[in-house]
Amino acid sequence: MTTETTPPNATTVPAGPPAPPQSPPPATAAAPDASPLRRLRVPGAFLLGAVLLMGAAPLLLSDSGLNLLAKYLCYAIVAVGVSLAWGRGGLLVLGQGVFFGLGGYAMAMHLKLADAATTGQTLPDFMQLYGTSTALPWWWKPFADPVFALAATVLLPMAVAALLGFLVFRRRVKGAYFAILSQALAAALAIWLIGQQATTGGTNGLTDIQGFFGYDLNDPVNRRTVYFLIAAALLLMMAAARQLFVSRYGELLVAVRDSEERVRFLGYNPANVKLVAYVVAAGMAGLAGALFVPAVGIISPALIGIVPSIGFVIGAAVGGRASLLGAVLGAVAVAWTQSTLSDALPAAWTYLQGLLFVLAVGFLPGGLASLPAVLRGRRGPSRTPAPTTGGTT
C-alpha cells in the first residue's frame, strides 16, 4: 500500500467555478465612411476639367491663345494613350508620331479634296503646282468620302499598330528593342512622305487647309468650335482610359508589366494583353492627329518623325506616366515650354528636351504627379499613438 506525498514547496489550488468570459474592450469611435467621397472624387475632377476647358479657357484666352491651347490638347490626347501603354503596360512607345501622322494625313487628304471641290477642281492645289500628275492617285480617291476619311483617322492607325504589335509581341520583343523598332518605323514613314512630293506634299506636307466639313476655318467662331471639339475629345479619351485602368483588364496589364512570366503561367497570353494597349494608344494618337489638322491647318513629316515621337513621351514622363491627369498636364506644359523656348533657343531646345526626359526617368520616375508622395516619404511615416484597450495586465 503506497501513499502519495505532496512536495513541501507545492501549493494546492482549490477547484472553483470557471472564470466568467472577459468583456471585449470598449470600441473606439469609428471613422466616418469616406467611400461616398471617393466615389465622387473622379466625377468631380472630370467636372472641374470640363468647366476649366469649356468655360474658363474660352473666356480668359484670346483667339490666338485658344488656338494654341487646342494644339496642346491634341498632344494631351496622345499622352493619354502613352499613359495607358507605357504607364500601365510598360511599353516605351517612342513611335506614336507614326499613328499621329496617319490620322493627320487621313484627315488632311479629305479636307484638301473638299477645298479643291469648292473651286471646281479635282486635284489639290499642290498637285496642280507641281504638275507631275494629271489624275488623282487611286489611294486618294476613297478619302473624298467623309465617312471613310473619319473612320480611317482612327482605324488605319489601329490596323497598323495591330499588325506591328502582332509581329513584335508574339516574338517577345520588349524593352529597348521595342523602343528602337518604334523609332525606326517613325523615321521610315517620315522619309517615305518626304520622297512622295507629288502625292503627299513632300517636306512641306499638306498645308493651307481652309475648310472643315463645310465650315470656314478662317472664321474665329468656327475655330472656337474646333477647340470645343478637341476639348470634348480629350475628356472622352480620359474617361475611356480611366475605365480601362480600373477594369480587370487594367489590373492584368499592370501584372504583365510587373511579372510577364507569372501571368503566362497563370494561363494568360501577355502578347494579347500588350497588343490591346498598343492598339488603343495608336487609335488615340490617330484621333489626336486628325483633330490637329483643323486646329493648326497643316500636317507635315516634321510633325511625325522621331523628335515629335520622343516629345509625346517626354510630356507624359514629366507629368507622370502612371497618372492620367499628370500625363495630360505634362504634355500641355512641355508643349507650351517648347513653343516659348524654341523661339528664343531654337538650337538648344532639342537638348533641353532630352535633358527633361533623362531627369524625369532617372530621378523622378513617377513624374511630377508623384512628387507629393515622394515628399511625404522623405518626412517619414507619421507617428500615431497605439490605441489602448481595456483590461489589466
Side-chain angles (χ1 to χ4, degrees):
M1 178 177 173
T2 60
T3 60
E4 296 181 358
T5 59
T6 303
N9 296 331
T11 58
T12 304
V13 179
Q22 295 182 354
S23 59
T28 58
D33 187 11
S35 57
L37 296 178
R38 291 183 179 179
R39 294 194 196 101
L40 294 176
R41 184 177 58 182
V42 174
F46 275 98
L47 180 60
L48 177 61
V51 170
L52 292 176
L53 291 177
M54 302 292 191
L59 291 176
L60 299 177
L61 297 178
S62 62
D63 290 339
S64 60
L66 202 64
N67 293 337
L68 280 177
L69 182 57
K71 174 183 173 181
Y72 302 156
L73 294 185
C74 292
Y75 296 152
I77 295 175
V78 182
V80 173
V82 173
S83 178
L84 174 65
W86 186 29
R88 290 284 170 161
L91 303 173
L92 184 54
V93 284
L94 291 179
Q96 292 303 94
V98 173
F99 312 118
F100 184 85
L102 289 175
Y105 268 89
M107 176 62 74
M109 289 166 66
H110 171 73
L111 297 182
K112 292 297 291 184
L113 291 175
D115 288 346
T118 57
T119 60
Q121 304 292 331
T122 58
L123 295 178
D125 52 2
F126 73 93
M127 290 187 183
Q128 301 176 30
L129 177 63
Y130 297 142
T132 56
S133 176
T134 58
L136 189 68
W138 64 269
W139 51 277
W140 269 74
K141 294 179 180 180
F143 291 94
D145 184 3
V147 176
F148 179 87
L150 286 174
T153 58
V154 177
L155 297 182
L156 181 59
M158 295 179 73
V160 174
L163 177 60
L164 178 64
F166 178 81
L167 297 176
V168 170
F169 298 140
R170 291 288 178 175
R171 294 184 175 274
R172 302 185 184 181
V173 177
K174 55 185 178 180
Y177 300 101
F178 174 74
I180 294 173
L181 184 61
S182 300
Q183 281 201 320
L185 183 62
L189 179 61
I191 293 173
W192 181 82
L193 290 172
I194 292 174
Q196 305 296 318
Q197 187 170 1
T199 55
T200 64
T203 306
N204 296 328
L206 304 181
T207 63
D208 195 24
I209 295 174
Q210 301 295 324
F212 181 65
F213 293 95
Y215 294 94
D216 185 10
L217 290 177
N218 294 320
D219 188 348
V221 175
N222 294 334
R223 298 192 70 86
R224 281 180 170 258
T225 303
V226 171
Y227 165 79
F228 285 123
L229 181 62
I230 294 173
L234 173 61
L235 294 174
L236 182 61
M237 292 301 102
M238 291 183 67
R242 168 69 182 177
Q243 287 301 114
L244 287 176
F245 279 15
V246 300
S247 65
R248 182 180 179 184
Y249 169 78
E251 297 178 354
L252 188 59
L253 184 61
V254 173
V256 170
R257 179 197 66 188
D258 295 339
S259 182
E260 183 174 333
E261 294 301 325
R262 182 173 297 179
V263 172
R264 182 177 288 107
F265 291 152
L266 291 176
Y268 296 96
N269 189 347
N272 294 337
V273 178
K274 293 188 289 187
L275 181 62
V276 171
Y278 189 50
V279 171
V280 172
M284 292 182 179
L287 176 62
L291 295 173
F292 180 87
V293 172
V296 181
I298 183 177
I299 188 71
S300 69
L303 298 170
I304 66 175
I306 294 178
V307 175
S309 298
I310 296 176
F312 294 144
V313 175
I314 290 176
V318 170
R321 62 181 183 267
S323 168
L324 279 177
L325 181 60
V328 168
L329 295 180
V332 173
V334 170
W336 176 82
T337 306
Q338 179 180 2
S339 299
T340 304
L341 295 182
S342 59
D343 295 335
L345 304 171
W349 165 246
T350 303
Y351 301 100
L352 293 176
Q353 195 177 39
L355 181 61
L356 279 176
F357 183 69
V358 172
L359 292 176
V361 175
F363 298 96
L364 197 62
L368 295 177
S370 66
L371 194 57
V374 172
L375 295 178
R376 286 196 302 267
R378 288 183 178 180
R379 286 198 299 264
S382 60
R383 296 181 179 180
T384 56
T388 57
T389 59
T392 58
T393 56

